[in-house]
Amino acid sequence: MEHNQQTPPQRSRRNRHGRGRRGPLIPMHLPAYRTRPERFDDAVMASAQRLGERWGQKLSVIDFRIVPVPGDKVMTQAAAAGDRMPLSSARPATAKRRARISIYRLPLEQASHSHTELVDLVHQCVVHEVANLWMLSPNEVDPEYFPEDPDY
């Protein structure tokens, strides 16, 4: 069979080591398909979307940031306040910048024992930081999640 000038030659179905094409090692429907940071990002996104359904445009002016660990400035502020390890922090808006909530991934992952507990803890942190920014109680921000405990 002669190759026509217009059609490129067929590529081999095997790689250079002769093992063939490789696919994903873990199927998409299994939990291990996504990495821990990706699952954490999903938890923060789900929490923000849950609050966004209730608060709409008011929540859209807040930037959410996921950081592996708190920086030195945040750690110094936490030590001055008597806190050990902050799980999240918030910065209010100014004339030049938007409000920002920072969620610290590694401290939250270490504080939780399961993925379900991590999702709950992430949502608690998001609700508390939003409540601090808006000067509301957590049960006012999300009454379905904090129905009876105003001092949480």
Side-chain angles (χ1 to χ4, degrees):
M1 177 174 172
E2 294 181 306
H3 284 293
N4 195 350
Q5 291 285 349
Q6 296 168 347
T7 59
Q10 295 277 334
R11 294 190 82 185
S12 171
R13 290 189 173 262
R14 295 183 178 272
N15 65 6
R16 67 185 185 129
H17 297 289
R19 294 187 189 107
R21 291 185 179 173
R22 300 268 180 174
L25 297 176
I26 300 173
M28 291 177 71
H29 66 280
L30 294 178
Y33 181 75
R34 299 195 39 88
T35 64
R36 276 189 354 208
E38 289 172 338
R39 288 193 307 263
F40 188 85
D41 294 352
D42 292 343
V44 174
M45 180 80 76
S47 179
Q49 286 175 345
R50 178 178 176 167
L51 292 180
E53 291 171 3
R54 177 173 167 80
W55 294 98
Q57 291 293 355
K58 190 171 181 183
L59 191 70
S60 68
V61 298
I62 298 175
D63 291 332
F64 290 90
R65 186 175 93 160
I66 299 169
V67 184
V69 293
D72 292 336
K73 183 177 178 182
V74 174
M75 290 299 291
T76 303
Q77 291 172 348
D83 294 336
R84 295 178 70 189
M85 174 63 78
L87 303 177
S88 60
S89 64
R91 182 189 73 191
T94 64
K96 295 184 179 182
R97 64 181 184 201
R98 295 164 47 113
R100 180 172 71 194
I101 293 176
S102 298
I103 307 294
Y104 304 115
R105 182 176 61 86
L106 293 176
L108 282 166
E109 286 179 344
Q110 291 175 353
S112 61
H113 300 291
S114 68
H115 182 68
T116 305
E117 188 176 337
L118 177 66
V119 170
D120 287 342
L121 196 54
V122 164
H123 189 66
Q124 288 176 13
C125 289
V126 169
V127 169
H128 280 283
E129 296 303 337
V130 169
N132 287 339
L133 284 176
W134 294 345
M135 292 183 259
L136 298 172
S137 66
N139 64 339
E140 289 176 294
V141 174
D142 190 358
E144 294 173 6
Y145 198 75
F146 297 95
E148 300 172 7
D149 193 2
D151 297 327
Y152 189 83

